[in-house]
Amino acid sequence: MSTKKDKFSTKDKLYMEIALKLAISRYGHTGSNPSVGCVIVKNDEIISIGQTSINGRPHAEFNAIKNSIDNLNGSKMYVTLEPCCHYGVTPPCTNLIVKSKISEVIYSVPDVDVRVKNKSFKILKSKKIKVRKGLLEKKVKNFYSTYFFNRKKKLPYVTGKIAVSKNNLIYSKLDKKITNARADKFTHLLRFKNDSLMISYKTLNNDNPKLNCRLNGLNKYSPKRIILDNKLNSNINSFIIKSANKSNTIIFYNEAGNSKILSFRKKGINLINSKIDNKGRFDFKILLKKLYKLNCRNLLVEGGDKLTNYLLRNKTFNRFYLYESSKKLSKKTEYLYFNNLNLLNQKYKKRVNLNLNLGKNKITLYTN
């Protein structure tokens, strides 16, 4: 049996690093399935690679095997996560590995899915395939922390972000731009890496945002838009509503007249009625469970002060990005202060200043 005492060579580590990079590149775009990377090696040469397909199927192992033009007999497979061994929409990857006559499988970490966990190890061993695990374990476990959270909690992994000016404002009617272009690119990267993005109707009405990813070549991977709008007060002429359809926009509401409901449904929006508390706030436990059932796995919240405060107090965010600008915003007309810095420091144990070459802007990541 394989143990953590297995000795892995420098080349083993290199091949798993490549597999991990393949998995990272698909993060946030594999639906309810984890993003997995796979490398097949024969005679110390890479003969094929694979990664989980967009929306989750086919799996990385399937793609790597099908991508190969070489005979796989006697080859080694390096895969970031334990291969699946159960029938679902697709057959088990273990079946295909056995059929391909791959002689050795090295995977980094066991799957937490109870249908798979440590079962594939036994299946492959029973077919006389050498199996080892634990290669780059710490690094790969860190990558799968969001997936493990999803599987164990049956909830989306929630990331928060907010941008603050030098004079501690998050909104000014006269001067809406807070961060510079470099910091903005990081926001678009976050949007690319999260399958869903949430705001309140107030943010929609104040800013008329697009909520899309505007990095070159990645615009088609923009997240699904989630709007919190108790009484359906969103501006029907906003960009989000005009560009909405059932696959890209969800609005959670609680009470609204039939005419309003009909007008939003005519736009093709997925309207979901959800409970609120006695203060008119949505019950986030219920809301997140609903989103999980709708295949939301990584949720980015770009909220205002009130929504951010509420989610911080209830420790809903798994991680939080605070953008700080050197720019002062105007206070001549309407403006909003950011009042949650102390709360951030209270709720999260770790603070890391991201070294992203952002000029006079900086981003701090808060986690536990």
Side-chain angles (χ1 to χ4, degrees), residues 151-168:
R151 285 289 186 187
K152 290 175 182 177
K153 302 289 186 180
K154 305 296 182 189
L155 293 170
Y157 190 91
V158 185
T159 299
K161 68 162 284 283
I162 205 163
V164 184
S165 69
K166 188 174 182 179
N167 52 341
N168 214 35

Side-chain angles (χ1 to χ4, degrees), residues 68-158:
S68 177
I69 58 173
D70 291 281
N71 186 329
L72 297 181
N73 190 1
S75 63
K76 285 185 184 181
M77 173 181 279
Y78 295 81
V79 61
T80 52
L81 190 68
E82 182 178 9
C84 73
C85 58
H86 62 91
Y87 282 90
V89 177
T90 55
C93 288
T94 48
N95 286 10
L96 197 56
I97 292 168
V98 172
K99 187 177 179 181
S100 301
K101 297 185 178 180
I102 290 168
S103 64
E104 182 175 358
V105 174
I106 300 173
Y107 65 87
S108 186
V109 294
D111 200 336
V112 293
D113 188 328
V114 294
R115 298 170 298 177
V116 180
K117 189 175 181 180
N118 295 320
K119 293 176 183 175
S120 297
F121 184 95
K122 294 175 182 177
I123 290 169
L124 294 172
K125 290 285 284 185
S126 72
K127 300 296 182 181
K128 309 301 181 185
I129 295 173
K130 184 178 180 180
V131 188
R132 293 190 288 162
K133 56 185 177 179
L135 178 56
L136 299 186
E137 182 179 31
K138 186 176 180 181
K139 201 169 185 178
V140 176
K141 268 187 177 178
N142 183 59
F143 169 69
Y144 283 119
S145 60
T146 57
Y147 166 66
F148 292 161
F149 177 88
N150 293 154
R151 285 289 186 187
K152 290 175 182 177
K153 302 289 186 180
K154 305 296 182 189
L155 293 170
Y157 190 91
V158 185

Side-chain angles (χ1 to χ4, degrees), residues 282-336:
F282 285 99
D283 186 325
F284 255 79
K285 289 181 180 178
I286 293 174
L287 188 148
L288 291 175
K289 286 178 181 177
K290 288 182 177 180
L291 285 174
Y292 185 83
K293 288 180 180 178
L294 292 168
N295 283 336
C296 169
R297 295 296 181 266
N298 296 284
L299 174 66
L300 176 64
V301 180
E302 296 189 16
D305 191 62
K306 286 185 179 178
L307 178 58
T308 300
N309 183 287
Y310 175 69
L311 297 181
L312 281 173
R313 288 191 180 281
N314 288 278
K315 215 165 184 181
T316 305
F317 295 121
N318 298 99
R319 62 185 167 205
F320 193 91
Y321 293 94
L322 176 66
Y323 291 55
E324 295 175 90
S325 171
S326 61
K327 178 180 177 180
K328 287 186 177 181
L329 297 189
S330 171
K331 294 193 287 185
K332 290 181 180 179
T333 56
E334 293 177 40
Y335 60 89
L336 288 173

Side-chain angles (χ1 to χ4, degrees), residues 206-261:
N206 284 335
D207 299 343
N208 191 22
K210 292 183 177 178
L211 304 185
N212 55 1
C213 173
R214 295 193 286 278
L215 296 176
N216 288 339
L218 300 180
N219 57 309
K220 67 179 181 179
Y221 300 111
S222 294
K224 184 175 292 188
R225 295 90 61 95
I226 315 293
I227 315 299
L228 304 181
D229 188 358
N230 182 10
K231 297 182 180 180
L232 293 183
N233 288 323
S234 293
N235 182 351
I236 204 86
N237 294 312
S238 64
F239 176 87
I240 296 298
I241 304 304
K242 282 185 173 181
S243 61
N245 58 58
K246 284 190 177 180
S247 65
N248 74 3
T249 307
I250 295 171
I251 295 182
F252 284 98
Y253 77 103
N254 179 259
E255 54 176 324
N258 288 335
S259 61
K260 269 192 176 182
I261 292 171

